[in-house]
Amino acid sequence: MCGRYATTVDPALLAVELDAIDETSGPGGAREPAENYNVAPTDPVLAVVSRHSHEHPDDTPTRRIRRMRWGLIPPWTKAAAPSSSGEASGNVSRPAKGAPLFNARADTAATKPAFRTALKTKRALVPMDGWYEWLTEPAAKGKAVKVPYFMTPTDGSRMYAAGLWSVWRDRDVDGPPLLSVTILTTDSVGSLQSIHDRMPLILTPDRWQSWLDPDGDAPGDLLDPIDEAVAAGIEIRRVSDRVNSVRNDGPELIAPVGAPGSAVGEQITLL
């Protein structure tokens, strides 16, 4: 948890909404698709950060929209050995494979070597429409199946999960840095406990400024579980098992379906 989520916002629109600078354009102004209904670890994702200008470091920090790899890569990670095709030669390099750090526990991040420095200086917001979880439920002939659920605001708004980010460089290669991000998780509250004991640490707008501030530690209470009033505004929706495969994408993945044996779209009550 949280190992899969959906996001559909265009970074240019997000920059306008958050009064931020869109830094997601690739070489020649190329852009990757904005919509991804089945985001998985190692995918490129949007992250909101607040940074000082390199040219004017004393100026007030500004919000920036950046694209990062989902799965934090600590700065000390070694580079992968060159492949037979020369992938790690010239200006192309990649980190050695390690644990997929796509989640970090909010209650222990300050003590973990992979996250503690980022918690002090590199905090982010990760926009999402909602996240997925799977419940093991009984099916026909006594078999058990994993049923996917999608957690999303009932009012159709966007959520922002607390994240930590990192910059990785291969010291032996003169190439661009690799930015990566992890999503903080916290104890689930309210009805969300029926789905999983952990959930993304969702931050409300009144907490964004303090969380993103690059010049000071985040107040400790920002790492507390979310308020039950916030959790009450999150719908728990059974969705298609097409989301089980990371190859599938599209809005049909988040459309509600009926509970096993019920009519499609029937209201689901979790006990």
Side-chain angles (χ1 to χ4, degrees), residues 90 155 205 213 254 263 265:
D155 61 4
D213 182 7
I254 65 172

Side-chain angles (χ1 to χ4, degrees), residues 135-145 147 260:
L135 281 182
T136 301
E137 300 181 359
K141 298 181 180 180
K143 295 183 179 180
V145 294
V147 179

Side-chain angles (χ1 to χ4, degrees), residues 15 137 174 238:
E137 300 181 359
D174 183 17
R238 182 173 181 260

